[in-house]
Amino acid sequence: MPRYARAEREALADLMLEVGPDAPTLNEGWTARDLAAHLVVRERRPDAAGGILLPPLHGYAERVRLRVAARPWPELVDQVRRPPVWSPVSNPLTDELANTMEFFIHHEDVRRARPGWHPRDVPAGLAARLWKPVSLLTRTRARRFPAHLLVQAPGHGELTAGRGGDRVRLVGPPGELVLFLSGRQRVARVQLDGPPALTERLRTAALGL
């Protein structure tokens, strides 16, 4: 069985070593070091990981992340590359489910922040795996969009969301849709059709966490 989460993790770790800790990412205000520390906290510090999603815990989580970020760069990247087997999100039973999309997105956060980047060829199996979370992202990130939003990935399927009304169509490969719906619209290579005011609103909406 292909291990796409592991492959994306390895590729991200390799790229982080190549570009260095001060390389920019698509995450506003974050360098590669900041992103690496986020991933380490998510996997190795369950006491602080909840602060990634829960605002009351954000301050504590951020203090932990900054301490982790101060570690030597090779050590930090090695911890990204080799998660502990006890991690709730990265053990052998949960790794593919919890990390395929996570590491695909963060791999692209580093790749697409570099000059001259271009979309890579995504294996068919990985594309199929990424289509599954598109449904969740569509329901959670676009449920209040003031239009009838049709999300299509040719060869994979289509989904609908929004409050109804004028029709807006979002089309692309699963990986590009994942990036678009996770708040990375400016770098996602998708086709967007519909009334100009609505398509522009979707392109600039705060779709990320």
Side-chain angles (χ1 to χ4, degrees):
M1 180 179 177
R3 298 181 62 193
Y4 297 112
R6 168 53 60 182
E8 291 298 308
R9 180 192 297 275
E10 292 283 357
L12 173 58
D14 290 344
L15 182 57
M16 283 179 162
L17 289 178
E18 177 186 340
V19 301
D22 298 323
T25 74
L26 297 181
N27 307 96
E28 185 176 355
W30 273 13
T31 63
R33 181 183 291 279
D34 293 306
L35 177 56
H38 159 78
L39 292 170
V40 170
V41 170
R42 175 180 173 269
E43 295 184 317
R44 294 172 178 265
R45 292 293 304 266
D47 61 312
I52 296 171
L53 298 175
L54 301 175
L57 301 178
H58 179 73
Y60 173 67
E62 183 63 6
R63 290 192 295 274
V64 172
R65 190 189 67 79
L66 291 173
R67 289 198 297 271
V68 170
R71 295 172 183 171
W73 181 237
E75 175 187 330
L76 192 57
V77 175
D78 189 65
Q79 290 184 328
V80 171
R81 190 189 300 273
R82 307 177 195 278
V85 296
W86 52 260
S87 172
V89 295
S90 303
N91 64 69
L93 295 178
T94 62
D95 190 40
E96 281 298 301
L97 180 63
N99 289 322
T100 299
M101 183 179 74
E102 178 84 8
F103 277 86
F104 173 83
I105 288 174
H106 290 317
H107 184 193
E108 295 301 315
D109 281 339
V110 179
R111 285 189 72 254
R112 299 191 186 203
R114 305 179 72 193
W117 72 269
H118 56 83
R120 58 190 166 112
D121 292 329
V122 174
L126 175 56
R129 187 70 57 83
L130 291 171
W131 171 243
K132 295 178 181 179
V134 170
S135 175
L136 177 61
L137 290 174
T138 300
R139 292 196 310 270
T140 57
R141 309 294 173 87
R143 68 184 185 278
R144 296 181 180 177
F145 187 66
H148 175 83
L149 177 63
L150 178 63
V151 179
Q152 296 177 317
H156 296 273
E158 64 180 42
L159 305 159
T160 59
R163 294 179 171 175
D166 291 332
R167 175 169 158 163
V168 174
R169 192 167 69 108
L170 173 63
V171 185
E176 300 300 320
L177 293 175
V178 161
L179 292 171
F180 189 97
L181 293 165
S182 64
R184 293 150 175 89
Q185 297 101 306
R186 66 184 177 88
V187 299
R189 295 298 185 252
V190 298
Q191 176 185 341
L192 197 54
D193 301 315
L198 286 172
T199 58
E200 179 61 20
R201 182 168 179 171
L202 187 59
R203 286 191 185 278
T204 58
L207 297 177
L209 291 177

